[in-house]
């Protein structure tokens, strides 16, 4: 099983679908492992690109150490992958919380190995309410959501699928997802360690990526749906694009938070065009 060992001796699994092209490294959403990228990795690897996706600690087939879910450690785990595989001219593709890890990686480790960045449905730059971020989530709402996960994690994840995928939005959209596809995605989420799930939920809700935005100096594509109720477009996608000089924002009409499934063909096409540009 392909794996790397991190600075704190945690073993992390990754999948590596070899191709002749430059590497594309996928960084997953909160509670998802590398398997969430099935449709993107299939499409891009079939075009000859080398596609790599990491199971975050406590996710998928990686170790569950019960620690290290802060943004510093998670971004250093990404650095361990890039360094140990000796990747160069890589494209980083993040989804949701994965966008935080990518931006913090760039701030801590620089861009020497990175050619470009794609941020999909990111929870950046900052989700929590503060004096200088009044549109963010109040602390009580964050803690309430965490308490619901503690109480009944399967119910929370299953019920949240309606909001996550933006069910009922206009075409092209989630009505094209089968119930089996939705259930499959929920099963992937429930493979995450409950400890990692809760700690990463807190990290995703409270990490302020605004200081990291200037470190993103490579070509950057921000992809966001206008029906995203988890990471609203105006709070997240627009502000992320505004904070990264020279970045491009593309808005998906009807897109919810789970566009890696609901808008997979559009997303794959946009990623491929961006990588080959």
């Amino acid at each position: 099983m392909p794996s790397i060992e991190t600075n704190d001796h945690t073993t992390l699994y990754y999948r590596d679908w070899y191709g002749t092209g430059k590497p594309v490294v996928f960084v997953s959403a909160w509670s998802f492992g590398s398997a969430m990228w099935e449709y993107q990795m299939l499409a891009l690897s079939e075009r000859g690109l080398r596609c790599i996706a990491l199971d975050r600690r406590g996710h998928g087939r990686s170790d569950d150490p019960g620690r290290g879910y802060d943004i510093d450690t998670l971004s250093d785990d990404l650095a361990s992958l890039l360094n140990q595989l000796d990747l160069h001219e890589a494209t980083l593709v993040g989804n949701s919380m994965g966008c935080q890890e990518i931006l913090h990686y760039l701030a801590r480790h620089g861009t020497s190995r990175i050619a470009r960045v794609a941020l999909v449905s990111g929870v950046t730059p900052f989700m929590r309410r503060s004096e200088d971020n009044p549109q963010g989530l109040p602390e009580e709402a964050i803690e309430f959501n965490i308490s619901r996960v503690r109480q009944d994690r399967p119910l929370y994840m299953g019920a949240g699928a309606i909001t996550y995928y933006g069910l009922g939005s206009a075409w092209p959209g989630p009505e094209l997802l089968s119930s089996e596809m939705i259930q499959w995605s929920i099963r992937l989420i429930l493979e995450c360690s409950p400890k990692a799930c809760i700690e990463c939920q807190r990290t995703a809700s409270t990490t302020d990526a605004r200081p990291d935005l200037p470190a993103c100096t490579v070509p950057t594509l921000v992809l966001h749906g206008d029906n995203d109720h988890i990471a609203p477009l105006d709070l997240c996608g627009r502000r992320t694009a505004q904070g990264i000089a020279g970045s491009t924002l593309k808005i998906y009409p009807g897109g919810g938070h789970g566009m890696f499934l609901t808008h997979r063909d559009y997303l794959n096409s946009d990623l491929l065009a961006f990588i080959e540009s």
Side-chain angles (χ1 to χ4, degrees), residues 43-263:
L44 271 60
S45 65
E46 287 170 355
R47 295 294 294 264
L49 294 168
R50 181 183 179 185
C51 293
I52 302 164
L54 181 70
D55 278 353
R56 184 186 293 114
R57 56 177 63 214
H59 295 61
R61 287 182 270 185
S62 289
D63 280 357
D64 180 15
R67 66 180 187 278
Y69 304 113
D70 58 282
I71 195 64
D72 285 351
T73 302
L74 295 175
S75 62
D76 289 350
D77 288 350
L78 176 58
S80 294
L81 175 75
L82 292 162
N83 293 341
Q84 291 181 40
L85 297 186
D86 195 25
L87 301 180
H88 296 275
E89 297 184 62
T91 297
L92 300 181
V93 181
N95 183 262
S96 192
M97 179 184 178
C99 300
Q100 293 174 322
E101 290 163 274
I102 287 173
L103 291 174
H104 204 58
Y105 163 83
L106 297 174
R108 285 172 71 82
H109 300 279
T111 61
S112 62
R113 294 182 179 272
I114 310 305
R116 61 186 62 80
V117 166
L119 305 174
V120 184
S121 305
V123 293
T124 56
F126 191 27
M127 292 290 290
R128 185 172 60 182
R129 181 175 296 175
S130 63
E131 288 186 4
D132 60 352
N133 191 45
Q135 296 82 23
L137 284 174
E139 187 71 30
E140 314 85 78
I142 293 171
E143 291 303 322
F144 176 71
N145 284 330
I146 291 173
S147 71
R148 290 175 62 202
V149 173
R150 287 182 180 275
Q151 182 177 19
D152 192 334
R153 191 163 58 105
L155 175 62
Y156 180 85
M157 299 304 185
I162 295 173
T163 301
Y164 192 89
Y165 292 112
L167 296 177
S169 67
W171 186 94
E175 65 270 17
L176 302 180
L177 287 187
S178 65
S179 60
E180 290 81 2
M181 180 79 81
I182 295 171
Q183 291 304 313
W184 169 73
S185 71
I186 294 171
R187 287 196 300 272
L188 292 181
I189 292 173
L190 292 176
E191 290 177 0
C192 178
S193 152
K195 177 70 171 178
C197 177
I198 290 168
E199 295 303 322
C200 286
Q201 185 178 26
R202 182 171 281 110
T203 294
S205 300
T206 60
T207 293
D208 187 353
R210 290 176 296 182
D212 296 337
L213 296 178
C216 191
T217 57
V218 296
T220 301
L221 178 63
V222 179
L223 302 167
H224 217 96
D226 64 6
N227 190 40
D228 191 333
H229 297 288
I230 305 296
L233 173 62
D234 288 340
L235 177 67
C236 296
R238 289 192 195 280
R239 294 174 64 199
T240 297
Q242 290 167 358
I244 299 175
S247 65
T248 299
L249 171 64
K250 182 167 185 178
I251 299 170
Y252 284 46
H257 199 58
M259 298 195 304
F260 65 98
L261 290 184
T262 61
H263 292 66

